[in-house]
Amino acid sequence: MKVETTPTETGGVLVAASATGEDVRANYLDLLADREPAVRNLLAITYAATAEEFLARWHDSVGDRPANVGVVDVGETMRSTAASTVGGDPDRNVVRSIERPRDFDATTAAVEAYLDRFPPEGTVLVCDSLTDLLDRVGLSAAISFVDDLVTSLAAANAVGYFVVDPDAHDDGTLAALDALFDAGVGRTDDVTGWTTRSSDRDSVSIDVVFDVLSVERRRHALRHLFETADPDEAVDVSDLARAVARRTTGASKPTRNEQRREEVSLYQFHLPKLASAGFLDHDADAGRVTLRDRAQTVRPFLALVDE
């Protein structure tokens, strides 16, 4: 079941599928069966299955294992020792166990050790279940870990396929995950194959998102606009300043000086920042702002900042 196009050569691909079950939709590994170029080095992070179960599934769906294999088995699924062979040369086929899903440093170190050891071309990582990871560590922690991991893969000229069950998460969670990846893959309508789609990641980086959200007043401004403004509706900066002042001070009726202070701050610092990031249009002469469609990218992350 060949993927219609190659999503990306390096970085990360979000795969919309279940990591468990016998339904054809759950067999996410078949998308790699005819991958071009072929997988030469296989690296897996398993949350939903044991290393042995993952490798058996690989054999059934893709075929023989590549010459170089590494599995990082995270959490309760691993029942054996911290490092063990799964067949072949013990220096080439090693399972490493990470006891705690929140031990991101250990997981990252294990992944990077494999990346360093593998030949430089043809490395594919499979993370079998972001859904299980989210259940164990939460969205905020998972996003930071996955973003760093995708960056490491790109630096190593490798590509990672990260599986998520779309039926297990709300739209906000899926949008937040989608922003981390270079491309996405999902089942075709008849579930017999796969189709790719481009991500909006090139339109805004995670670094920009968190830079924008690092300041409380900008978060207040965005929340007010999301909650009150219709798409393409212009909002007076004076009204926005009043809303930010209410949120900042906790007063239902902020004083004139408090509102004026917020208005000056918005004009001088925060609206230019939001405009330069492409989240809104600011007409300084008219004293009005309008949210842009791109702002929807940042919306799922607002809740994460407060976790």
Side-chain angles (χ1 to χ4, degrees):
M1 298 183 186
K2 201 167 186 175
V3 182
E4 291 178 5
T5 60
T6 301
T8 182
E9 294 297 331
T10 63
V13 179
L14 185 63
V15 180
S18 172
T20 58
E22 300 301 326
D23 189 278
V24 65
R25 289 169 293 185
N27 188 15
Y28 60 91
L29 284 175
D30 68 355
L31 70 89
L32 297 176
D34 297 318
R35 185 182 184 275
E36 295 178 1
V39 179
R40 297 180 182 177
N41 314 305
L42 174 62
L43 176 55
I45 304 175
T46 58
Y47 293 99
T50 66
E52 290 77 7
E53 289 168 344
F54 172 83
L55 291 171
R57 196 170 194 175
W58 177 274
H59 182 271
D60 292 341
S61 302
V62 182
D64 293 339
R65 295 199 302 266
N68 301 289
V69 176
V71 182
V72 181
D73 202 334
V74 183
E76 297 177 356
T77 58
M78 188 64 183
R79 303 289 192 265
S80 57
T81 58
S84 60
T85 63
V86 292
D89 183 345
D91 292 328
R92 295 167 63 87
N93 297 286
V94 177
V95 178
R96 297 184 183 274
S97 175
I98 307 299
E99 182 178 355
R100 295 181 295 109
R102 283 188 175 273
D103 194 348
F104 300 125
D105 289 342
T107 303
T108 300
V111 168
E112 291 181 346
Y114 284 122
L115 292 175
D116 290 341
R117 181 163 58 81
F118 286 167
E121 301 293 335
T123 297
V124 168
L125 177 143
V126 177
C127 176
D128 76 336
S129 183
L130 289 181
T131 296
D132 277 56
L133 175 63
L134 290 171
D135 287 344
R136 299 180 192 187
V137 307
L139 182 59
S140 181
I143 279 180
S144 179
F145 166 64
V146 172
D147 187 46
D148 288 344
L149 189 55
V150 170
T151 300
S152 295
L153 291 171
N157 199 32
V159 62
Y161 292 81
F162 295 76
V163 181
V164 65
D165 184 351
D167 296 330
H169 307 286
D170 58 31
D171 290 343
T173 297
L174 294 174
L177 290 174
D178 188 63
L180 301 172
F181 295 95
D182 304 286
V185 175
R187 284 287 183 184
T188 55
D189 291 340
D190 61 4
V191 305
T192 62
W194 297 89
T195 185
T196 62
R197 57 180 174 75
S198 297
S199 170
D200 292 332
R201 179 162 186 172
D202 61 344
S203 65
V204 58
S205 73
I206 297 301
D207 288 341
V208 169
V209 168
F210 282 108
D211 182 40
V212 165
L213 297 182
S214 65
V215 176
E216 184 182 54
R217 284 179 169 83
R218 289 199 288 268
R219 300 198 298 272
H220 288 333
L222 285 168
R223 284 195 181 91
H224 178 74
L225 293 172
F226 283 136
E227 292 169 3
T228 62
D230 293 327
D232 301 322
E233 177 186 359
V235 175
D236 288 337
V237 175
S238 59
D239 292 338
L240 181 59
R242 186 179 306 112
V244 171
R246 284 199 297 268
R247 293 170 184 260
T248 301
T249 64
S252 59
K253 293 183 178 180
T255 66
R256 184 185 298 269
N257 284 339
E258 289 170 337
Q259 180 178 333
R260 178 59 180 166
R261 184 165 56 249
E262 298 301 339
E263 190 167 348
V264 170
S265 179
L266 286 170
Y267 268 112
Q268 291 185 344
F269 304 108
H270 306 306
L271 295 181
K273 186 79 170 182
L274 291 167
S276 67
F279 297 144
L280 56 76
D281 292 317
H282 177 209
D283 186 339
D285 293 333
R288 297 171 74 81
V289 296
T290 308
L291 275 179
R292 300 180 64 183
D293 290 341
R294 193 184 191 194
Q296 297 303 319
T297 304
V298 79
R299 192 168 191 170
F301 292 90
L302 277 170
L304 301 182
V305 177
D306 293 332
E307 285 188 2

